[in-house]
Amino acid sequence: MNTIAPGPIVTEAVTKVLSTQFGMQAEASTQAAPKLQGYTSHLLGTVSITGSRVRGDLYLSMPDPLADKLVARMLGGAEDNEATLADKVDVAGEICNMLAGQIGAALSRSGYANDLSIPEVSHNSDTWTEPLAEHADYHAVWQCAGLPLVLNLALRLEPL
């Protein structure tokens, strides 16, 4: 049984990470996730959140063009340049880690001590996919620089 509403925690994490680390604004989108088609390749990242009374997984998906922009912001390059695959994977892992860190800290403040796994990131060149949206307690599409960032958070909390 979840005693914490994940929406405000994720919203704060997304807006804080993207504005502080990348100088970018993120807005929750009203666009339905299944309509996010047309991207030839994208990155999928995940971080697990575990503790004695908490178990969760954070999943994100972003198209390559957003990863290119984030790499440019992180490394100081031109945003219209295509980044290397290694840099895109690194930036997706960093974002997963930063978001999970913010979420984990909020859970800890609420009495749910936890640890984070090392981010796992894959690059896909097939059709856009939604990672585990049907099993998520939180699912949202965010727009960042006009591009989608899809987040899913599945949490299982034991009562305190």
Side-chain angles (χ1 to χ4, degrees), residues 33-143:
K35 295 181 181 181
L36 293 174
Q37 302 298 321
Y39 296 100
T40 58
S41 59
H42 59 283
L43 295 125
L44 300 171
T46 185
V47 172
S48 293
I49 303 167
T50 56
S52 63
R53 293 193 312 267
V54 61
R55 172 76 178 110
D57 294 295
L58 173 73
Y59 299 90
L60 72 76
S61 274
M62 75 174 83
D64 275 26
L66 179 55
D68 289 334
K69 289 182 181 298
L70 294 169
V71 168
R73 293 278 179 119
M74 186 175 262
L75 301 179
E79 287 189 25
D80 57 348
N81 288 344
E82 187 173 334
T84 67
L85 179 56
D87 285 342
K88 291 183 218 188
V89 168
D90 284 348
V91 81
E94 283 298 318
I95 290 175
C96 275
N97 202 38
M98 288 185 265
L99 291 173
Q102 292 289 317
I103 293 165
L107 290 171
S108 289
R109 288 190 298 274
S110 297
Y112 292 96
N114 60 83
D115 292 308
L116 306 176
S117 70
I118 295 171
E120 293 181 22
V121 178
S122 64
H123 185 258
N124 295 315
S125 57
D126 55 359
T127 306
W128 179 275
T129 58
E130 298 300 324
L132 295 179
E134 66 275 7
H135 301 294
D137 298 296
Y138 173 88
H139 171 76
V141 179
W142 290 78
Q143 291 292 320

